[in-house]
Amino acid sequence: MAVSAPDPSRRAGGVITLLASLAIALLTLRPSHGPPPTLEGGYLATDLLLNIILFFPLGLGLALLGVRPGVAIAIGLVSSTCIELAQLWVIPGRFASVHDVVTNGLGCALATMMMARWSTRARWWRLLAPFVAASVVTAWVVGSFLVLPAPPVTGTMWGQWGHEFNGVQFTGRVLAFSVQQMPIPDGRLPEGERLRDLLAGADTIRLAATIISGSAEGRFRSQVVSVIGGKQDEYVGVWQRGRSLQAHFRAKTGTVSLRSPWVRLEDGLPGAAGDTVRITLAENKRRIVLTTTYDGRVGVSSLRRSPDLFWTGFLPFEFAAGSDNWWLPLLPALPTLVLLGLATHRRVITAVLALAGALLLGPLLTGISIPAWPVLVAGAVSIALGVRLARGLGL
């Protein structure tokens, strides 16, 4: 009696389901240690998107295994509920929420519904593609506005010199701290309204601090200087992590519950304690520049304010830009351009115009920097990949 060969789609479904389950367990069931990296609140928009993406492969694998859509969605919801209960009662450093269950279930549902209608993909994708293309271009343009500097924080403003957060404290000493040449004390700012006016009317925002360096050890960020206000939102700050300095200006991404980027200067601090270090931080529409001076040495790190920076707000961790990780913003940005290629694959001219609109329209409207040439090249490659993928999938 002949034995039939296993269905390749079911075999692929089993592999995808196993890998998806392992990834979900790895990312959700491990304890979280250490202090939060900033004073900012939750990143709801980031969490929502990442939760959908996290459970999408699970729904895809279950669908390939032949699991009915309703059952697959139920598996996703039950799995997510169990994870949230474990995070609530068992796993230290984790926070459970209802919206995690809903968005995880939505990711599973999207995958299963897509696979259920896979045989008619060419028809429904032809209807959906214009909306997808317009959404991607719109997201890039809106992102250009959201990477602009945020308006000054509302409410009482405070200066902070080396405060302790979750058991981590700067071991050096702050000698002076100013923003827009206005001295910032350690405590409530008596001239908070004046500082707000200086910040609101400035083309360039400047921070300056003079410190005595402390220990260069430590895995977590420790605050050097910050200006905060409102609901303990940090507007601008400089933090230490080992010998690196990491500076933060609040961008408008924070107003929509996305992370604001950081700029990192490796070896921005001396290896030994007791040296005098001068720190300057300058921000305008086009870039953020962090500079330190000590022992006759000058260190500079610059962060280009371009539309691809917006997508770093969707990373599952804070992005601190340095010379060794310039490519990191591409990880969440380029899949959107692959999707744009999928949506415009029938018309080459439309694909080129859509790519130009996504990468260049925002900077022209806002005055921020045009993406660096590696982003432009990678964007063109992503569009081409999307076009080729669409044809391979029969869209």
Side-chain angles (χ1 to χ4, degrees):
M1 178 178 180
V3 179
S4 60
D7 186 346
S9 65
R10 287 182 177 270
R11 185 164 51 195
V15 173
I16 293 173
T17 301
L18 176 61
L19 293 177
S21 300
L22 290 175
I24 290 170
L26 181 65
L27 293 173
T28 62
L29 298 179
R30 293 190 305 169
S32 176
H33 300 292
T38 74
L39 299 177
E40 293 181 82
Y43 305 111
L44 181 59
T46 302
D47 288 344
L48 294 179
L49 180 63
L50 293 177
N51 285 336
I52 292 172
I53 293 173
L54 181 62
F55 270 67
F56 188 91
L58 178 63
L60 182 63
L62 292 172
L64 289 172
L65 280 173
V67 178
R68 288 179 296 175
V71 176
I73 294 171
I75 291 173
L77 289 172
V78 171
S79 300
S80 180
T81 301
C82 292
I83 289 170
E84 296 304 309
L85 291 175
Q87 290 180 347
L88 179 64
W89 292 329
V90 180
I91 306 173
R94 292 285 188 166
F95 300 92
S97 65
V98 174
H99 71 71
D100 285 351
V101 176
V102 174
T103 49
N104 288 340
L106 178 59
C108 205
L110 288 174
T112 54
M113 288 188 295
M114 183 186 75
M115 294 306 298
R117 291 163 177 78
W118 189 246
S119 61
T120 60
R121 58 189 178 279
R123 184 175 62 193
W124 57 257
W125 183 249
R126 193 176 297 115
L127 299 174
L128 194 60
F131 172 76
V132 171
S135 298
V136 171
V137 174
T138 300
W140 276 81
V141 174
V142 170
S144 297
F145 285 90
L146 291 177
V147 299
L148 288 169
V153 291
T154 58
T156 303
M157 301 182 74
W158 300 77
Q160 293 188 342
W161 295 23
H163 283 209
E164 177 183 327
F165 288 94
N166 292 66
V168 181
Q169 186 167 22
F170 176 55
T171 58
R173 184 160 54 96
V174 179
L175 302 179
F177 174 32
S178 66
V179 175
Q180 301 302 83
Q181 298 183 329
M182 176 178 168
I184 305 297
D186 184 14
R188 183 179 181 275
L189 301 186
E191 296 184 278
E193 287 299 326
R194 177 175 165 240
L195 177 59
R196 221 184 321 270
D197 292 340
L198 290 173
L199 294 170
D203 292 329
T204 300
I205 299 170
R206 299 184 184 277
L207 173 152
T210 304
I211 67 171
I212 302 297
S213 63
S215 170
E217 303 295 328
R219 295 174 51 202
F220 303 114
R221 287 187 185 126
S222 60
Q223 183 197 67
V224 181
V225 290
S226 291
V227 172
I228 66 170
K231 300 177 180 179
Q232 292 294 295
D233 290 333
E234 183 180 57
Y235 180 71
V236 60
V238 177
W239 296 63
Q240 176 187 2
R241 186 172 187 174
R243 288 193 62 192
S244 73
L245 278 180
Q246 300 187 9
H248 171 257
F249 266 119
R250 187 173 174 85
K252 289 183 178 180
T253 48
T255 65
V256 292
S257 299
L258 290 171
R259 291 179 172 89
S260 296
W262 294 65
V263 57
R264 184 183 75 223
L265 176 57
E266 290 296 334
D267 299 331
L269 292 173
D275 285 342
T276 300
V277 182
R278 172 75 175 173
I279 303 168
T280 59
L281 180 63
E283 176 204 40
N284 56 34
K285 280 187 175 183
R286 300 185 68 83
R287 60 181 65 241
I288 303 171
V289 182
L290 174 62
T291 307
T292 63
T293 306
Y294 64 90
D295 289 340
R297 298 176 54 184
V298 178
V300 181
S301 183
S302 177
L303 175 61
R304 192 185 190 98
R305 196 185 289 276
S306 57
D308 49 294
L309 192 63
F310 162 72
W311 297 100
T312 64
F314 293 100
L315 290 170
F317 50 84
E318 298 253 22
F319 170 62
S323 59
D324 61 337
N325 66 349
W326 60 268
W327 49 269
L328 196 53
L330 298 180
L331 293 182
L334 293 187
T336 67
L337 299 180
V338 173
L339 187 61
L340 189 60
L342 282 167
T344 58
H345 74 99
R346 293 178 178 273
R347 296 177 177 84
V348 175
I349 294 178
T350 301
V352 172
L353 292 176
L355 176 63
L359 298 181
L360 304 178
L361 184 57
L364 292 175
L365 293 175
T366 62
I368 64 173
S369 295
I370 291 174
W373 70 263
V375 179
L376 299 176
V377 172
V381 172
S382 298
I383 282 280
L385 178 61
V387 170
R388 185 175 182 83
L389 184 62
R391 291 170 181 171
L393 293 174
L395 299 179

